[in-house]
Amino acid sequence: MSFFSAIANAVAGAEPGKRLFIEAVGAGDGNIRLILTADVGQVPNDATPEVAKVYALMARPLVVVGTPEAVEAALAGKLGQMRERLDEGNEVLDALRQLKAQAKSSAAKAASTPPKPAEADEQAEPAAPERPDDAPAPAPQPLSIGDAF
């Protein structure tokens, strides 16, 4: 498979306009270092730490080092792995977005529903003892570790 055929296979399933950045660097002794990075876009400002981690994992570059022949031979498999990682990351992001939307919907529903009188009584704090004599005595503190056993 040629280099551009491998690249085309990697980006063919992506949304139109998605980018794959390619950097080739000489590594000495006739070897090259090929660095491929997917453009996953900016992490949203309101992203949770989990969403930010998924973006970071998706944006990890693919690095292949070797002779030009070895790099080209490894490229097809490595690009397939990269495509799978991006697809899985997009699925996780979609699932996290759905969970966030469900949580917002549940919170909005709970906020708009007034509590029933019985629920309001349960949410009230328990009454404090009226007299100090009704309060339980604090447990004695051990003087040493040995006293605790």
Side-chain angles (χ1 to χ4, degrees), residues 43-128:
V43 177
N45 291 336
D46 63 343
T48 64
E50 294 81 11
V51 169
K53 286 179 185 177
V54 173
Y55 269 88
L57 290 172
M58 290 172 62
R60 283 184 35 200
L62 168 69
V63 180
V64 183
V65 180
T67 63
E69 296 81 19
V71 169
E72 188 160 356
L75 192 60
K78 295 288 187 181
L79 282 171
Q81 291 173 358
M82 185 178 208
R83 176 81 258 144
E84 289 172 10
R85 184 179 72 215
L86 291 171
D87 290 343
E88 185 177 341
N90 283 323
E91 289 172 10
V92 170
L93 287 174
D94 288 342
L96 289 172
R97 285 184 196 109
Q98 288 176 354
L99 287 173
K100 185 177 180 180
Q102 288 174 353
K104 281 184 179 181
S105 173
S106 296
K109 185 186 284 185
S112 66
T113 306
K116 296 177 184 174
E119 290 176 355
D121 291 343
E122 291 173 6
Q123 292 176 357
E125 292 185 28

Side-chain angles (χ1 to χ4, degrees), residues 3-51:
F3 175 76
F4 287 106
S5 295
I7 297 295
N9 286 340
V11 296
E15 296 175 21
K18 288 292 184 178
R19 297 179 181 170
L20 181 66
F21 298 102
I22 303 168
E23 181 180 356
V25 181
D29 296 330
N31 292 326
I32 60 170
R33 173 177 291 137
L34 191 65
I35 304 166
L36 302 162
T37 309
D39 179 12
V40 296
Q42 292 283 350
V43 177
N45 291 336
D46 63 343
T48 64
E50 294 81 11
V51 169

